[in-house]
Amino acid sequence: MSHPAVIPVIVILVLIIVLVITGYIYDPIVSLPSLALIGFLSYRIVYVIIKTRHRDIYSYVGKIAQVEEDIIPGKVGYVLLEGELWEAISNEVIHKGETVTVIERQGLKLKVKRADAFEGNKTRQAN
C-alpha cells in the first residue's frame, strides 16, 4: 500500500480545485481552515485504517472463559467468552462454573482446557 500521506494530499488537491472553481481560493478565511480541517481529518482516517488493518480481532487463543454448560469429551458444551456464548469441546470433563482457557478455534467451536492445566503446561514449556 502507498504511504499514508498520499490520500490526504489527494483530498487537499481536490479541495483546492473546488475552491478555485467556486472562487473562494482567494478568501483565506474560507480556504485555510478548510484545507487544514480536511487535511487533518483525512490523515486521521487513513492512519486508523492502516493501523487496524493488520489486527486480528478474532483471535481467542489464550483467553479465559467461564463454563456455562458441562463439557464432556466427545460432546459439545458452552462457555461464555467476552460476553458471547460459544460452543466448546475438550478432551477432559469440565463442569459448569469452572474457568477454562481457549487453546484453539475450530470453525465456530472453541477447544478449551482447564485454566490451571493450561497455565501449568505453559510454565513447563518455558523451563
Side-chain angles (χ1 to χ4, degrees):
M1 184 171 176
S2 63
H3 192 274
V6 171
I7 294 175
V9 167
I10 292 171
V11 171
I12 289 172
L13 290 175
V14 169
L15 182 62
I16 290 172
I17 292 169
V18 169
L19 289 172
V20 167
I21 291 171
T22 59
Y24 285 108
I25 191 68
Y26 299 110
D27 187 2
I29 294 174
V30 174
S31 61
L32 293 179
S34 298
L35 291 172
L37 184 64
I38 296 296
F40 175 74
L41 291 177
S42 59
Y43 175 76
R44 288 303 299 168
I45 289 169
V46 170
Y47 177 78
V48 168
I49 290 170
I50 290 172
K51 285 298 242 187
T52 58
R53 177 170 283 165
H54 301 291
R55 199 179 301 166
D56 185 12
I57 60 174
Y58 300 111
S59 177
Y60 294 110
V61 176
K63 293 193 177 180
I64 304 295
Q66 187 77 25
V67 178
E68 294 294 316
E69 185 180 300
D70 291 350
I71 304 170
I72 300 168
K75 294 192 177 182
V76 175
Y78 289 91
V79 297
L80 188 65
L81 175 66
E82 296 181 347
E84 296 177 345
L85 199 58
W86 284 82
E87 290 184 342
I89 55 174
S90 180
N91 295 332
E92 56 189 342
V93 177
I94 305 174
H95 298 288
K96 180 179 180 177
E98 291 187 52
T99 304
V100 293
T101 304
V102 178
I103 57 174
E104 184 181 353
R105 182 173 155 210
Q106 300 173 345
L108 294 176
K109 291 181 185 159
L110 301 176
K111 188 170 184 179
V112 297
K113 279 193 169 203
R114 281 195 180 88
D116 57 345
F118 186 75
E119 292 303 320
N121 289 339
K122 205 178 194 182
T123 305
R124 276 187 236 122
Q125 289 172 356
N127 292 332

